[in-house]
Amino acid sequence: ASLLKSGWKEVNRMTQGGFRRGEQWMIGALQHKNKTGFTLSLFIQFALFNKPLMIDVNKKPLLLRISFEDDITTNMNFVYKYLKARELRAQLFQKGEPWPDEVDDISIGDVSQEEIAQYVKERLSVNGYEVKFMRVDPSQWTYMHLCNYITSLEAEGYEVHCCMADYLAMLPTTGCTVGPMGTDLRDMYRRTRNFMSPRKILFMTPHQLSTDAKQLLRDGRNNFLQEVAEKGYLAGCKQLDQEIDGEMYIHIEKHQKRYFQTVQRGKHRGMPVLDDEYKSFALPFPKKGPILDDLEYANIAVRKLGGAPIDSGGEETPFWDFGSSPI
C-alpha cells in the first residue's frame, strides 16, 4: 500500500514509515490538547512530503479536510502561519542561523482571506496534490453524506488519498445499528472504514477521551498517555478501538516551564510489533506558533521531558541546552 509519510521523524518511526492509504486512524485526546493543530499539521505535511502515487493515472490526486467544528478561516489562518514559519526557518537555515526559540508569531496582518487561500493552495500543491478544505454543519450531515460527497469527488475526476474529518463523532448516527450504549457510534466508524478502505483512502479523525480518562489525570497518574492507550478510554464507546486500524493519543504536558505535545501510539493493525520505546515521544512547543516538521532538519522530538532531542547523542542533556533557553 502506498504511504503518506508525516513531516515528523518520530511519527514516521512510530507508524513504521508513515500512514498507509486505506487505514482508519483515530487521534485521541482530552479537550483543548491541540487535536486540531496536530491533525492540521499532519495534513499540511502529507501535501509537502509525499508525491502522489496513483491507482488511476487519469485522475487528480486529492487531500480532503472536512471540519465539523472550526470555520474555514481559523483552519486556513493556521495553515498560512505554519507555511510562513517554515519559509522563515528555511531562510535562516540558508544563512547558517539557527531557528530561534523566540520567533515572533507570524502575523496575518491585513492579508485577505483570498490571498491566504491562494498562497496555501500554491504551497501545498508543490508535489502535485490538490487540497480541499471545507466546513460542514454536522447536524445537516450523516456518514452517508460523507460517503456520497467522496463519491461525487470521484465522479469529478479526483482520486482521494486522504480524508481528514474533524470530528467524525460529531455526525449524528442516523442509519447506524442501534443497541447498547455506543453501538451506533461504533457502527458509524465501521461503516466509514468499510467505505474508505477499499478505495485506499487514509481516513483520520480526532476523538475525545472519556471522563474516566479525565479522572486518571485528577488522580495524578504519571504517564497519562500510556495509561489510556489501548484501554478504551474513549467518549461514547469503549469498544471503538476495535473498529479502527490505528490509534494515536496526544496530550499537552508542562515540564520546567516548557510545554510539550506528548504523543503515544496505541494499536496499529497488521503491522510488525514495534519496540515500546518507539511508541511514545514529545514535541516541544515553540513560545509562539505551531510545532514545525523536522523531516529535513535535526530531530526535535524528545523521549522524555527535559531530555535531549532524539538522535542528538546526549540523552540526559536538558532540551534547552541545544541553542534555546528556558522560559
Side-chain angles (χ1 to χ4, degrees), residues 240-281:
L240 210 49
D241 51 357
Q242 292 174 18
E243 300 303 330
I244 55 183
D245 297 295
E247 50 181 355
M248 203 175 273
Y249 296 90
I250 62 173
H251 193 56
I252 293 175
E253 295 199 32
K254 192 177 182 184
H255 179 81
Q256 294 184 349
K257 297 185 180 174
R258 183 165 199 122
Y259 289 95
F260 290 83
Q261 179 90 71
T262 50
V263 184
Q264 171 82 39
R265 205 206 79 190
K267 71 179 254 191
H268 190 179
R269 184 184 279 153
M271 293 303 292
V273 175
L274 183 70
D275 286 351
D276 281 348
E277 72 165 305
Y278 300 133
K279 286 184 183 173
S280 62
F281 63 89

Side-chain angles (χ1 to χ4, degrees), residues 63 189 276 312:
L63 302 173
Y189 264 79
D276 281 348
S312 67

Side-chain angles (χ1 to χ4, degrees), residues 180-246:
M181 187 191 154
T183 305
D184 52 349
L185 185 62
R186 182 179 169 182
D187 190 48
M188 179 163 70
Y189 264 79
R190 181 188 300 144
R191 286 167 187 256
T192 307
R193 182 179 180 274
N194 288 345
F195 177 84
M196 304 285 176
S197 189
R199 288 174 158 75
K200 291 285 175 273
I201 299 171
L202 166 65
F203 183 76
M204 286 185 114
T205 185
H207 194 90
Q208 297 279 13
L209 295 182
S210 63
T211 47
D212 294 347
K214 210 175 258 187
Q215 190 57 48
L216 290 178
L217 266 191
R218 288 196 199 103
D219 295 345
R221 299 287 184 95
N222 288 333
N223 296 335
F224 170 68
L225 289 184
Q226 284 163 352
E227 292 273 353
V228 298
E230 299 188 71
K231 293 180 187 147
Y233 282 102
L234 301 165
C237 178
K238 287 187 169 73
Q239 287 86 37
L240 210 49
D241 51 357
Q242 292 174 18
E243 300 303 330
I244 55 183
D245 297 295

Side-chain angles (χ1 to χ4, degrees), residues 73-129:
T73 309
T74 310
N75 281 348
M76 292 302 268
N77 288 354
F78 177 93
V79 179
Y80 178 80
K81 288 181 175 187
Y82 185 104
L83 294 169
K84 280 289 186 189
R86 287 187 86 250
E87 268 183 31
L88 180 61
R89 177 179 61 174
Q91 288 163 11
L92 290 171
F93 195 72
Q94 278 172 345
K95 292 181 197 165
E97 294 175 27
W99 176 242
D101 194 44
E102 291 288 347
V103 67
D104 282 331
D105 197 11
I106 304 289
S107 167
I108 297 287
D110 52 7
V111 186
S112 72
Q113 284 304 313
E114 286 75 23
E115 287 173 285
I116 287 173
Q118 189 56 42
Y119 172 83
V120 166
K121 194 177 169 184
E122 226 167 75
R123 289 293 180 277
L124 294 186
S125 63
V126 61
N127 288 320
Y129 272 113

Side-chain angles (χ1 to χ4, degrees), residues 70 87 115 133 164 201 285:
D70 297 328
E87 268 183 31
E115 287 173 285
F133 292 87
M164 210 177 253
I201 299 171
F285 275 99

